[in-house]
Amino acid sequence: MNSENLPRHIAERIVADFGANLDFALQELEKYRVDATSVGQEWQDYFAYILSLPAPDPASPEEIFEKPVEPQQSFAAAIEPAVVEPQIAASREPTNETQLFDRGAVQPAVLATRSYSPGSSLAPRSRALAPVILPGDVIEPVRGGMVRIVENMEASLSVPTATSAREIPVRALEENRALVNRHRAAISASKVSFTHIIAWAMIKALDTFPRLNDAYAAIDGKPHRIHRGDVRLGIAVDVQKKDGTRTLLVPNIRGANQLSFPEFLEKFDDLVGRSRRSALMPDDFMGTTVSLTNPGTVGTTASTPRLMPGQGLILATGSLDYPPEFRSMAQKTLSMLGISKVMTVTSTYDHRVIQGAESGLFLARIEALLRSEDRFYERMFEDLGVPYPPVRTEVDALAPAFMGGGGASNREEVEKQARVLQLIHAFRVRGHLLAQFDPLGVKRPGVKDLDPGGYGLTLWDLDREFFTNGALGKEKATLREIIDVMRETYCNTVTSEYMFIAAPGQKEWLQNRQETSRNKTDFSPAEKRRVMEKLAEAEAFEKHLHAKYVGNKRFSLEGLEATIPLLDKLLSLAATAGVTDAVLGMAHRGRLNVLANTLVKPLSQIFAEFEGSPQADIAQGSGDVKYHLGAQGTHKAPDGSTIVIELAPNPSHLEFVNPVVEGMVRAKQDLRGDRTRVTALPILLHGDAAFAGQGVVAETLNLAGLSGYGTGGTIHIVTNNQIGFTTLPEDARSSTYCTDVAKMVAAPVFHVNADDPDGVIHVAQMAFEFQRTFKHDVVIDLVGYRRWGHNEGDEPSYTQPMMYARIKNHPSVA
């Protein structure tokens, strides 16, 4: 038995269950016949049930379905496929079904089907003329699943449909999708497509017009309307088979109206992925109430798709493009005119339960949402954690002035130019408030000052040029480019605070250095490989200690492993620049890792100290001594240059080592007669709570500019795990950041996400260059987390359960 000669009652049931997805169901059936275990358990259960259905009694009503309502569908080809009877001479009678016709003449053909008995539920087909058969044509019978698709299309003719169409401007849709995807790229999340957003607008519009989710059914010969509370949204997915042919599957998202937008994205992408892996189950197709198809992806402007029985409506979206009369215009002219791309949307509906006015209002509602009404995009941005405000559709009053008309005065143009410069300044001062430097992804509140709409700038201004006053390294740029550069520079995983600096040249140097690079550097494969090696070494060391010395205090660096490649980069830059030696000062957090991987202290010695076997020449004995000891080593840069490094001993949990390090560096410089303060480099590593809370930090900073104490600038690294023992930042300090104390000496502060190694190395370069150029302190706020408790002996989830729920599922940076 094959798919073409199934018993009629089974064939009809499969057609009723799968509709447009029939071809896929029959493929699974063929696999099931060969080996039942080759398909999923749901398919096995389904086919076992279907193939066991008894044939209906021809003398009684056909009640072969358990469901109370089933659409009536034809399946004539399952019983008697149509045959082609070409009218040709007997001498030319074809020898097989695909034989070439006479090449010398055009041959007509007639499609003939047998008539069925009067009691048959299948309507007989009428004889219809086939297309003219041309010389060289080959006739091939439609077989397998394609026969079912033919029948399915014929079944769709039984649904009395009508179609509404509407042309929708999509400028707000385009701009907001771009904003969403810029944010999702920064957090390594999947892209959001136009289809995602249009489908979501469709679901939200059904909240306003729930009747369009209804269906028609004939029960006991009488018409009925089925009110459906659950939206099962069918998504048309184009699938390429192994043989290169393509088919269209329409699985559905169950309960689409009950999902949040992130949940909807996940369900949508899962459905598409399983469609292309041939991993769909029967229930993925059952009970579709409305559908969305997107022929615009292949350039179709508009379409009227077929509506399958059991559905109330199918929405089709055309391509996104400018109206034909504007397509030959230059982009600059289109921007001046304020012309938007448009998309034609059609709603094909079952006219027995849905009326034209309802369909038209439904499309109007979709347009209103896509134009940004009723906080459509605001809610979406909130759900996805996008820190920027969405673009809104607003009236463009400035376009006539740009075109030389009288609609807007020159004064208004000047005012808009001034607002652009205000926006640039706002990003430099407050852009860090939207930056994504927290690896735990905690949502940050919006900042009104960074909303272009607050300055009277609209989406129509995005492609118009404005003077930048030197921002971005150029004098003029489009508003789109200005906003993109400002957001990438100050609102990404790397950001900075520097606009409070009054010293000549420093602020301009930082501005140009960051905005021209957009706060990122393209590193070579060799540089990236070195960073990866350092991350792997840091993580492997911590994991070994965690497994081998359970319960021992070690003040783990896990969550801030990027400290090791950061130090490696700083020391390599210093060695290459000719610095003789560097002195490091730090407390306990990460000290063992720095000893092992930066100063290359022998691991055997470190492990021996954990075993309670101290060195013979140390009088202190065991206990905490392994965290207090100093060490010396030599760092070798990739280019072969070297620098001597020394870690100052620190017998205290506090930051008292800070002035000690400064004194050690100053002494080295004075002994060499180094009045330019370039031969020795101080590097201080601080905890975030200690940097904000311990007075010795402020005292040490205040020494930096004094001639008797200055060392040519210190590089401060705050290993910020966002918690002080058990205290969160909001309960530990009044300032916005733990680094705010450094502003009193006008030290620039770079905030960087510890889960972005490229950003960390970029910041290391900027900090070193600034320190060398201006002989001034600079602060790197390395923002990470603390995977374990304060000293691995306490359980942090007791005091901070929400934070540690996020940390538990967060992958390491490596």
Side-chain angles (χ1 to χ4, degrees):
M1 181 172 64
N2 57 46
S3 59
E4 292 187 303
N5 56 13
L6 288 169
R8 189 179 72 185
H9 68 288
I10 293 176
E12 287 178 334
R13 177 58 187 264
I14 297 177
V15 169
D17 284 345
F18 291 95
N21 303 290
L22 191 58
D23 189 27
F24 182 81
L26 291 174
Q27 291 176 24
E28 296 299 294
L29 176 57
E30 291 300 325
K31 290 193 288 185
Y32 174 81
R33 287 170 170 167
V34 175
D35 178 8
T37 61
S38 66
V39 298
Q41 187 60 50
E42 289 183 40
W43 284 112
Q44 294 179 40
D45 296 342
Y46 176 80
F47 290 135
Y49 168 71
I50 286 295
L51 296 177
S52 68
L53 288 175
D57 183 357
S60 63
E62 295 186 359
E63 298 176 350
I64 60 172
F65 303 138
E66 292 182 348
K67 297 180 181 179
V69 179
E70 289 289 348
Q72 300 297 314
Q73 303 214 24
S74 170
F75 205 80
I79 312 302
E80 195 73 47
V83 295
V84 179
E85 298 177 352
Q87 297 178 346
I88 54 179
S91 60
R92 291 289 201 176
E93 193 169 10
T95 58
N96 60 62
E97 57 196 7
T98 60
Q99 182 173 328
L100 209 60
F101 275 81
D102 188 341
R103 297 183 180 273
V106 174
Q107 301 288 348
V110 177
L111 290 178
T113 58
R114 299 183 183 179
S115 60
Y116 295 94
S117 62
S120 172
S121 63
L122 303 176
R125 302 183 190 174
S126 59
R127 289 172 67 88
L129 287 177
V132 172
I133 306 302
L134 301 174
D137 288 355
V138 175
I139 297 180
E140 180 181 359
V142 174
R143 295 183 179 277
M146 288 304 298
V147 174
R148 315 298 178 252
I149 292 175
V150 170
E151 291 293 340
N152 205 32
M153 292 299 99
E154 291 181 352
S156 72
L157 296 175
S158 66
V159 181
T161 62
T163 300
S164 305
R166 192 178 187 94
E167 197 170 63
I168 295 176
V170 294
R171 187 64 181 270
L173 170 63
E174 282 190 296
E175 300 298 342
N176 286 310
R177 174 179 174 266
L179 283 178
V180 167
N181 284 333
R182 182 175 295 111
H183 167 72
R184 290 178 70 79
I187 62 174
S188 300
S190 61
K191 281 189 175 182
V192 172
S193 69
F194 288 115
T195 307
H196 284 136
I197 300 175
I198 295 167
W200 188 243
M202 181 181 178
I203 292 168
K204 296 291 105 178
L206 286 172
D207 289 343
T208 307
F209 297 96
R211 287 171 57 87
L212 274 70
N213 194 47
D214 292 351
Y216 171 85
I219 304 176
D220 296 330
K222 296 180 181 179
H224 287 73
R225 183 185 195 116
I226 306 174
H227 297 281
R228 302 186 189 273
D230 191 33
V231 175
R232 291 200 171 195
L233 176 64
I235 303 295
V237 184
D238 180 54
V239 177
Q240 184 171 358
K241 300 180 183 178
K242 293 180 180 179
D243 61 2
T245 60
R246 310 189 77 88
T247 187
L248 194 69
L249 298 179
V250 191
N252 66 59
I253 299 173
R254 301 190 296 277
N257 54 327
Q258 306 297 326
L259 303 174
S260 66
F261 188 62
E263 291 170 337
F264 175 74
L265 283 180
E266 184 179 353
K267 296 279 188 184
F268 190 111
D269 292 345
D270 172 67
L271 206 63
V272 172
R274 288 192 292 117
S275 296
R276 291 175 177 159
R277 297 193 309 270
S278 296
L280 294 168
M281 294 293 112
D283 199 42
D284 292 321
F285 299 107
M286 303 294 187
T288 301
T289 59
V290 292
S291 297
L292 172 66
T293 184
N294 186 14
T297 55
V298 293
T300 301
T301 304
S303 68
T304 306
R306 303 304 307 169
L307 184 65
M308 294 298 104
Q311 297 182 35
L313 175 143
I314 182 169
L315 198 78
T317 57
S319 59
L320 280 67
D321 205 347
Y322 291 104
E325 61 270 26
F326 297 110
R327 289 177 190 167
S328 60
M329 286 187 176
Q331 184 62 49
K332 186 174 182 179
T333 305
L334 292 169
S335 300
M336 288 180 177
L337 287 171
I339 303 298
S340 168
K341 290 181 180 180
V342 295
M343 170 182 68
T344 300
V345 180
T346 61
S347 164
T348 300
Y349 53 93
D350 188 334
H351 216 333
R352 293 169 295 187
V353 290
I354 297 171
Q355 300 308 308
E358 293 176 301
S359 176
L361 291 171
F362 176 67
L363 293 180
R365 178 61 178 164
I366 291 176
E367 177 179 352
L369 294 173
L370 293 178
R371 286 170 62 95
S372 66
E373 292 185 15
D374 289 347
R375 299 189 74 249
F376 176 73
Y377 293 113
E378 281 85 350
R379 291 189 179 93
M380 183 185 299
F381 278 38
E382 289 166 7
D383 285 349
L384 295 175
V386 180
Y388 321 120
V391 172
R392 294 173 290 275
T393 301
E394 297 176 282
V395 175
D396 179 28
L398 197 57
F402 272 94
M403 294 302 294
S409 67
N410 185 62
R411 177 180 175 179
E412 289 173 323
E413 294 180 31
V414 172
E415 287 179 351
K416 184 159 283 195
Q417 173 63 67
R419 291 169 187 157
V420 170
L421 296 178
Q422 283 182 302
L423 180 63
I424 291 172
H425 180 77
F427 271 105
R428 290 169 175 166
V429 175
R430 298 172 65 81
H432 58 87
L433 295 175
L434 288 184
Q436 306 300 297
F437 55 72
D438 183 357
L440 299 181
V442 177
K443 292 182 181 179
R444 311 193 74 188
V447 180
K448 186 177 180 180
D449 291 354
L450 302 180
D451 181 1
Y455 297 85
L457 302 170
T458 71
L459 78 169
W460 309 109
D461 296 314
L462 288 172
D463 293 309
R464 293 168 181 162
E465 283 194 332
F466 296 91
F467 289 100
T468 67
N469 196 27
L472 292 65
K474 57 175 70 174
E475 284 301 315
K476 293 181 72 176
T478 64
L479 180 60
R480 179 191 306 282
E481 185 178 5
I482 291 170
I483 293 174
D484 285 352
V485 171
M486 290 294 115
R487 283 174 172 161
E488 286 188 41
T489 302
Y490 300 112
C491 304
N492 215 319
T493 54
V494 174
T495 189
S496 64
E497 295 177 90
Y498 66 94
M499 290 296 285
F500 50 80
I501 295 175
Q506 292 185 19
K507 184 162 61 178
E508 291 74 16
W509 186 94
L510 289 163
Q511 173 186 307
N512 294 330
R513 181 74 171 79
Q514 293 180 90
E515 291 174 7
T516 56
S517 67
R518 303 195 181 195
N519 252 336
K520 55 188 176 185
T521 302
D522 292 327
F523 295 104
S524 68
E527 290 174 302
K528 290 187 176 185
R529 186 161 50 248
R530 185 177 177 103
V531 171
M532 186 64 235
E533 288 171 355
K534 295 300 175 182
L535 287 174
E537 290 169 2
E539 181 172 319
F541 178 80
E542 296 291 354
K543 286 187 178 298
H544 177 78
L545 291 184
H546 189 71
K548 184 71 173 176
Y549 301 102
V550 179
N552 275 256
K553 294 180 181 180
R554 72 177 195 278
F555 301 99
S556 165
L557 193 62
E558 288 183 78
L560 284 164
E561 295 95 333
T563 304
I564 301 303
L566 171 60
L567 287 172
D568 177 75
K569 186 64 175 180
L570 286 173
L571 294 170
S572 294
L573 290 169
T576 303
V579 179
T580 304
D581 46 14
V583 181
L584 277 64
M586 65 185 300
H588 294 346
R589 177 73 52 200
R591 190 179 186 91
L592 288 172
N593 213 312
V594 170
L595 285 167
N597 292 308
T598 302
L599 288 99
V600 199
K601 180 177 179 177
L603 294 177
S604 58
Q605 187 176 338
I606 293 175
F607 297 149
E609 292 168 4
F610 266 96
E611 301 287 354
S613 304
Q615 300 175 63
D617 58 345
I618 296 178
Q620 294 98 322
S622 60
D624 265 359
V625 68
K626 51 184 171 288
Y627 311 105
H628 297 160
L629 297 177
Q632 286 187 330
T634 300
H635 177 84
K636 186 175 182 180
D639 66 354
S641 54
T642 60
I643 182 173
V644 176
I645 48 179
E646 182 175 356
L647 178 65
N650 183 8
S652 170
H653 284 247
L654 305 179
E655 299 260 340
F656 284 173
V657 75
N658 294 355
V660 175
V661 168
E662 299 294 343
M664 293 170 68
V665 171
R666 177 61 181 253
K668 291 175 183 291
Q669 294 170 346
D670 287 350
L671 287 171
R672 296 181 184 126
D674 175 17
R675 295 186 178 276
T676 58
R677 313 297 174 199
V678 296
T679 60
L681 174 68
I683 301 176
L684 292 176
L685 287 84
H686 314 264
D688 51 315
F691 197 77
Q694 295 184 21
V696 69
V697 175
E699 294 168 4
T700 305
L701 286 167
N702 257 321
L703 298 176
L706 303 181
S707 60
Y709 294 89
T711 56
T714 300
I715 297 178
H716 300 268
I717 300 172
V718 180
T719 51
N720 187 347
N721 54 34
Q722 307 187 72
I723 192 169
F725 191 25
T726 62
T727 308
L728 292 179
E730 54 265 31
D731 299 316
R733 62 174 186 264
S734 300
S735 60
T736 303
Y737 301 115
C738 63
T739 54
D740 286 347
V741 65
K743 293 180 181 178
M744 69 180 183
V745 294
V749 178
F750 296 103
H751 304 280
V752 59
N753 191 317
D755 273 6
D756 176 17
D758 285 352
V760 172
I761 304 309
H762 170 76
V763 164
Q765 289 186 166
M766 281 200 299
F768 182 78
E769 290 173 14
F770 181 86
Q771 189 267 351
R772 290 284 94 181
T773 303
F774 298 104
K775 307 295 189 300
H776 198 281
D777 282 25
V778 59
V779 179
I780 298 174
D781 181 20
L782 183 64
V783 184
Y785 54 93
R786 189 186 71 195
R787 186 166 293 278
W788 310 110
H790 175 69
N791 59 18
E792 292 76 42
D794 63 297
E795 176 48 64
S797 62
Y798 289 162
T799 53
Q800 302 300 339
M802 295 178 67
M803 170 185 266
Y804 275 85
R806 291 193 297 271
I807 291 174
K808 181 179 180 181
N809 299 315
H810 191 79
S812 70
V813 59

